[in-house]
Amino acid sequence: VQLQASGGGLVQAGDSLRLSCAASGRTFTNYVMGWFRQAPGKEREFIAHITWNLGSTNYADSVKGRFTISRDSAKNAVYLQMNSLKPEDTAVYYCAAARSLSAKYIFWGQGTEVTVSS
């Protein structure tokens, strides 16, 4: 099983980025797909998740209204659309998969770096 995150980069405050997470090695039906981030010197934090089957979503308060998580079953991919980026969004972003909403995330991608300049 492999999760490949991509789409990071250097942008200015107020810009948008779309992160992608390509999943391979299995199908993720019934899984929960999540995005996390870790800023320098800080702990990893939850950003958003989506249930693969129903597409139900949940967001951290810090990104609610600015970020949107989605999935494409045909492409076996998950996306994170990030709008109105702020310098405090600077971090390495990771995608991950869990077997259920109550389970730990067991599959992790390698991370993609997002830097937002002021």
Side-chain angles (χ1 to χ4, degrees), residues 80-91:
L80 186 68
Q81 177 66 42
M82 306 186 296
N83 298 330
S84 302
L85 283 162
K86 305 175 181 179
E88 50 263 45
D89 294 319
T90 294

Side-chain angles (χ1 to χ4, degrees), residues 62-102:
S62 59
V63 304
K64 199 171 293 184
R66 299 189 298 123
F67 290 12
T68 302
I69 188 171
S70 62
R71 86 268 190 250
D72 185 330
S73 298
K75 296 183 178 180
N76 219 28
V78 178
Y79 306 99
L80 186 68
Q81 177 66 42
M82 306 186 296
N83 298 330
S84 302
L85 283 162
K86 305 175 181 179
E88 50 263 45
D89 294 319
T90 294
V92 177
Y93 285 71
Y94 299 89
C95 60
R99 289 198 170 98
S100 70
L101 286 171
S102 59

Side-chain angles (χ1 to χ4, degrees), residues 22-112:
S24 61
R26 66 167 298 128
T27 57
F28 286 87
T29 305
N30 298 322
Y31 274 65
V32 177
M33 305 300 293
W35 283 99
F36 294 77
R37 68 185 180 190
Q38 186 166 19
K42 295 187 177 181
E43 294 187 354
R44 185 173 59 198
E45 65 170 333
F46 166 82
I47 296 301
H49 77 228
I50 186 167
T51 60
W52 198 275
N53 278 353
L54 298 179
S56 301
T57 59
N58 188 39
Y59 298 91
D61 288 342
S62 59
V63 304
K64 199 171 293 184
R66 299 189 298 123
F67 290 12
T68 302
I69 188 171
S70 62
R71 86 268 190 250
D72 185 330
S73 298
K75 296 183 178 180
N76 219 28
V78 178
Y79 306 99
L80 186 68
Q81 177 66 42
M82 306 186 296
N83 298 330
S84 302
L85 283 162
K86 305 175 181 179
E88 50 263 45
D89 294 319
T90 294
V92 177
Y93 285 71
Y94 299 89
C95 60
R99 289 198 170 98
S100 70
L101 286 171
S102 59
K104 291 183 178 181
Y105 284 86
I106 55 174
F107 301 118
W108 290 85
Q110 85 290 358
T112 185

